[in-house]
Structures are given as structure tokens and as C-alpha cells.
Amino acid sequence: MDPASLSLSSQKEVLYILGIDTSCDDTGVGIVRVQNGVPEVLANALWSQKVHRQYGGVMPEVASREHVERIDAILEDALVQAGISLSDITAVAATRGPGLVGALLVGLTYGKGLAQGLGVPFYAMHHLEGHIQAAVSEHPDLPFPHLALVVSGGHTHLFKVNAPGQYELVGATRDDAAGEAFDKVARMLGLGYPGGPAISKAAERGDPRGVELPRPLLGQKAFDFSFSGIKTACLLAVKAGVNPENLAASFQFRVVESLVQTTKRAAKALGIRHVVVSGGVAANRALREAFGQSGLRSHFPPMHLNTDNGAMIALAAVKKALKGEQHSDWESEAEAYLPLVQAAH
């Protein structure tokens, strides 16, 4: 069979899309069933690599090896969760970027091989679109246009979503991603890795006004983000011997304030009320509460779909699968730096 000719049968009443994400240090395989055009997550199997805790951050070569060792077992877990067999799969999708290129190659190559072996189409997907679809899938009646804030360890981007699959970049971080800043400040405070949950827990015992930290990009007309200044201020505060729990609370407060206030300004300028917030940092309770009090109509993914996972990649592939596209992305290569859209400027 010629792989380029593989396509989904338009007569199939139920589609089973298998999604793979190995963009960083989580090995994710998810399965989405699409019936009458409606997607439903049946499985979301995930292995979070604990080995990186000893390094205080992700070691790319180690992450790649962990993906290779674990991906077969995670696929089996996903099939058991979904209650189906491999022969039921009607399409395979995998992340092509952005991410750690070695890690991406594991999932992308595995997905292509799996699709060819099964004789089904293969879709190479964008990691950020997966995060966005994890939230959108929970809110099928979300009006257009709306905003999408993707905030994670490697990404802090604000998009205007004009139609399904049509994105316009509104703002992005000029330096560190928010999740990266959480990791680095947690390491300064000796709280361990990953930093997001550790900072959040410590912040519960601290005073968010206890340490004076700078407000990033104060007075800007654009809708960008910056967290390197806060990170540097935290380092100076640690050297000055401030209370670590107060510093954790103050740091979290400033980051959340920046994310919410910048998104609010963008929404007002563009005349938009609805925003989806996704990515690993979207699991942060303080962020969710702040958006809930922001006056915006805020929508989040379920908690188990916030971090990197395979189910979100399957969800991102739904629109391709429903079109019964005859082209499969066999030639797609892993790309460490892959923009969802180009900056307008």
C-alpha cells in the first residue's frame, strides 16, 4: 500500500485518533473517539520523568532515552484505558514541534511507524495547538474570535483565535516563559522540581505582599510578557535572606498579575470577552482564581489535560480527521522552534 494514499473512510461512523506527545519530559499517549463529529477523550496515559529532579531541570539526552524506554508501555496503558485494541485506531497524530528536538523525534518517528504499520493516516501536529484544543474541546460553543493564553514551562503566548485553526499572535514572552521562571525561582528557594507545584504550595503559607517585586513591562502598549526581571529580583531577595514563603507568595502574585492584567488589556483592546487558558501553569490555583475574578469569560481545560499529554494532540488532529484528509504527513520533521503563527511585526 502506498502510504501517501492512506485516508480515513468518510463512511466511518466512529473515529479513534491516537495522539502522541514527547516534546519535553512527559511521555504522553492519548486516544480520542469522535462520534457524530463530537470528540471524547477515552484515554490519557502519561509518564512524567522523575529522573530530572536530581538535576533541577530537564536534561535533553536523558529525556530522549526515557521516552524510548517508556513509550511502548504508555501506548499499552492508553489502549487499556480506552478499552479498544490497536486495530481499532483510525488515525495517528504526533507532535512535531516545538520542543526538545531529540525528544520530539522519538514520538514523531514512533507515530509514523505505528501509522504505517496500521495502514492509517498520520498527522504531524503543533504542540501549542494541542494545548489550545485541550481547553476548546471542553467548550464547543465558544464564540469566535476569542483569546488563547498558552502558559507553560517553555511557552507564554497570547493568541487571537479568529476561527478553528486560524491564529493571530497578540503577545509573547520577551525572555523566560512563566513556567520556566517558576522552576528557576523554586530552585533558588530549594523547593525542588518541578517548580510550579512547589511554589504554589509554599505560597499558601506566605504573604503575597511580603516582598516587593517589580511589575514587568509596566506601561507597555503591547501585550507582551517578561519574567527575567522578577527572577533576578528574587535572586537578590534570596541573598538578602527574606522569608522564603513570603518570596514564593510574592513571586506567584506578580506572575499571575502580569498574565491576567495583560490578557485583560488585550481583550479590551480587541473587544473580546472570552479567553481560554491552557498549559501546565494553567493548573495553578491562584491563576485560576484570578482569572475567575477578572471579568473575562475564562475557560480552562480539565486538570489532567493542562500538562503536556497525548490526548491534546489527538484533539488537535480532530479537524483533519473529520475532513478525511488523504494527505498524511510522512515527510514532516521535528522542529525545536516551530511558531504557530509568525509575529505581525
Side-chain angles (χ1 to χ4, degrees):
M1 179 181 294
D2 178 7
S5 69
L6 297 179
S7 63
L8 288 173
S9 170
S10 60
Q11 297 181 357
K12 285 185 177 293
E13 294 182 358
V14 181
L15 305 178
Y16 292 96
I17 306 172
L18 186 144
I20 300 170
D21 186 83
T22 59
S23 57
C24 191
D25 60 334
D26 292 323
T27 310
V29 178
I31 297 172
V32 169
R33 177 175 61 197
V34 186
Q35 190 166 13
N36 298 322
V38 179
E40 178 187 0
V41 175
L42 297 184
N44 186 32
L46 189 67
W47 169 259
S48 295
Q49 301 173 4
K50 300 176 180 60
V51 65
H52 303 285
R53 293 178 180 176
Q54 62 185 303
Y55 308 115
V58 178
M59 298 293 288
E61 291 185 8
V62 175
S64 300
R65 289 197 297 269
E66 286 274 310
H67 288 311
V68 171
E69 293 175 2
R70 294 286 178 172
I71 194 166
D72 282 333
I74 302 306
L75 171 62
E76 290 299 322
D77 287 348
L79 292 170
V80 170
Q81 287 183 26
I84 64 173
S85 64
L86 202 54
S87 61
D88 294 315
I89 299 299
T90 48
V92 177
T95 301
R96 64 172 296 212
L100 302 175
V101 68
L104 287 166
L105 277 168
V106 176
L108 190 66
T109 304
Y110 191 91
K112 288 179 180 179
L114 186 61
Q116 288 196 10
L118 293 173
V120 300
F122 173 76
Y123 303 124
M125 304 306 302
H126 197 286
H127 182 75
L128 298 190
E129 187 165 23
H131 276 306
I132 293 170
Q133 290 304 315
V136 171
S137 66
E138 293 291 302
H139 308 282
D141 298 325
L142 195 66
F144 294 98
H146 58 261
L147 291 177
L149 176 66
V150 181
V151 55
S152 66
H155 311 282
T156 303
H157 291 77
L158 183 62
F159 299 99
K160 180 185 177 187
V161 186
N162 295 309
Q166 295 183 16
Y167 306 101
E168 179 181 340
L169 184 63
V170 175
T173 181
R174 298 182 181 180
D175 38 63
D176 294 344
E180 181 184 1
F182 269 95
D183 288 340
K184 290 179 177 177
V185 172
R187 187 162 54 199
M188 293 176 196
L189 294 172
L191 297 177
Y193 177 86
I199 290 284
S200 180
K201 184 176 181 180
E204 293 177 0
R205 302 185 295 272
D207 178 2
R209 307 283 186 177
V211 180
E212 185 61 35
L213 295 175
R215 296 176 64 185
L217 300 180
L218 186 63
Q220 68 158 331
K221 294 182 179 180
F223 307 111
D224 289 335
F225 306 93
S226 173
F227 302 106
S228 63
I230 298 178
K231 183 184 66 179
T232 301
C234 286
L235 179 60
L236 295 174
V238 169
K239 291 181 177 179
V242 302
N243 179 286
E245 292 174 345
N246 285 347
L247 182 57
S250 299
F251 165 76
Q252 178 177 261
F253 175 80
R254 278 289 186 242
V255 172
V256 168
E257 178 186 55
S258 174
L259 293 169
V260 174
Q261 293 303 319
T262 301
T263 304
K264 282 183 65 176
R265 287 196 306 106
K268 182 178 180 180
L270 297 170
I272 294 174
R273 291 192 61 203
H274 291 261
V275 57
V276 298
V277 185
S278 59
V281 180
N284 182 277
R285 187 174 69 179
L287 182 66
R288 287 180 172 243
E289 291 176 352
F291 266 107
Q293 299 167 3
S294 68
L296 296 172
R297 299 292 296 275
S298 305
H299 311 278
F300 290 80
M303 292 297 285
H304 69 286
L305 294 183
N306 277 307
T307 58
D308 296 348
N309 62 85
M312 73 182 194
I313 301 304
L315 288 167
V318 167
K319 61 180 182 293
K320 285 191 172 186
L322 287 175
K323 291 178 182 177
E325 292 196 6
Q326 295 188 15
H327 170 70
S328 292
D329 302 324
W330 306 116
E331 304 303 319
S332 295
E333 298 180 354
E335 294 191 37
Y337 303 99
L338 181 66
L340 183 58
V341 292
Q342 297 292 339
H345 54 280

